Amino acid sequence: MRTIQVNLSRNNYKIQIGSGLLSQVGNTLIAMGFRGKAVIITNPTVRALYGEILLSEIRKAGFETVILEVPDGEEYKSLEWAGRLYNQLHDFQTERMTPVLALGGGVIGDLAGFVAATFMRGLPLLQLPTTLLAQVDSSIGGKVAVNHGKLKNTVGTFYQPQIVIADNSVLKTLPGEEIANGMAEIIKYGIIRDQGLFEIIEKNLDNLSAQNESLLEELIARCAAIKAEVVEKDETDLGPRNILNLGHTIGHAIETASDFQIEHGKGVAVGIIAAGKISRNMGILSQPDLERMGKVISEAGLPVRINGLKIADILQAMQHDKKKAGGKVRFVLPKKIGDVFISDEVTVLQVERVLEELI
Ligand SMILES: NC(=O)c1ccc[n+]([C@@H]2O[C@H](COP(=O)([O-])OP(=O)(O)OC[C@H]3O[C@@H](n4cnc5c(N)ncnc54)[C@H](O)[C@@H]3O)[C@@H](O)[C@H]2O)c1
Ligand SMILES: [Zn+2]
């Protein structure tokens, strides 16, 4: 098991990464000082695979435990389902110190986190991420939210968990597409901050499967450490956290322009290539580094270009982001593998030029 410490102004917590950690959660709860009741929030897919095992482990440790279920899908990350969970927490006679365990991918982590943050003005939250994306990204950093109509992740708050327990053995049941989605974020971390991580991915391109537990544990730990460090510097996302958005400016616009038919990881993959090309055209990123990025992305099962979208729609979606950011589109651009810079000066023409090659 590897442990990463997150030190924030008001609280500190650990991220644990290792195979088989879910079967120790009962003891972990006791060691953290919890007694009495515990609540698991999950979805039917994850419940069938890991929910019952977790439930019996926690009961064995002496907790009165209930599993609350939300259907599987982004559309249930809503105020309506938060409301249903509030009722169920009330029925269970949840107390202020009853821990909420969010067992699932980013959807469950965000929704259960939002519910834990708001019910009785805050219940202790444990993040038990079960997707690669959730283990390297969404479970760390305290952003919790629900969607509201077309407003994605707009109703939310910052609420840090008391611990993140990432059991990488659960990734074996994750569909290949979801592994690829998580890989997009892992590649992103390598490019923004960790050349060594990028080289490990390059060396293991034939070996990047969820079956390779020790490799995944290493990748997850390195990414979690980067996210923890960035969050420590900028808990409420006012500046330095921006670097985590590499590939996301154009990536989000691609997702939006496709009416969310193109998944996040795929949008980010093409967004990373676009950012690389913009930087290359400015004479900053080297051609060999740009090619290494393209190779890693395609070998990880992600696209380096996307057909069937209109460039005008992508630019339009970016205009929306621009309004949110106070009039400028902020780009994170790679300087070289392992280092990035931020620019507010990228012109529409520069973006159009690279999109013409990629779309
Ligand atoms: N809070 C943050 O900082 C942050 C960051 C990034 C993304 N997000 C949010 O995360 C969400 C996306 O998360 P995601 O990619 O994990 O998607 P997800 O939660 O929808 O999970 C993807 C699919 O995998 C299934 N699944 C989960 N674990 C499994 C396992 N071990 N084996 C088999 N199947 C499993 C789920 O049931 C689901 O069908 C979005 O709502 C996004 O907004 C939040
Ligand atoms: Zn992302």
Side-chain angles (χ1 to χ4, degrees), residues 77 107 109-111 113-114 143-147 153-157:
K77 200 175 101 176
V107 168
D110 280 10
L111 173 65
F114 179 82
K143 282 191 186 177
V144 298
V146 293
N147 304 321
N153 292 334
T154 310
V155 179
T157 185

Side-chain angles (χ1 to χ4, degrees), residues 179-207:
I179 294 282
N181 272 332
M183 280 309 300
E185 305 291 344
I186 295 180
I187 293 166
K188 174 194 84 177
Y189 284 113
I191 297 170
I192 61 176
R193 249 314 198 267
D194 189 346
Q195 193 186 352
L197 166 64
F198 193 89
E199 285 164 5
I200 295 174
I201 307 169
E202 276 179 325
K203 281 198 199 104
N204 289 282
L205 281 174
D206 300 334
N207 226 346

Side-chain angles (χ1 to χ4, degrees), residues 43 72 74 77 106-107 110 130-131 138 143 152-153 170 173:
N43 72 25
D72 190 353
E74 176 77 28
K77 200 175 101 176
V107 168
D110 280 10
T130 63
T131 63
S138 60
K143 282 191 186 177
K152 206 172 154 2
N153 292 334
V170 306
T173 52

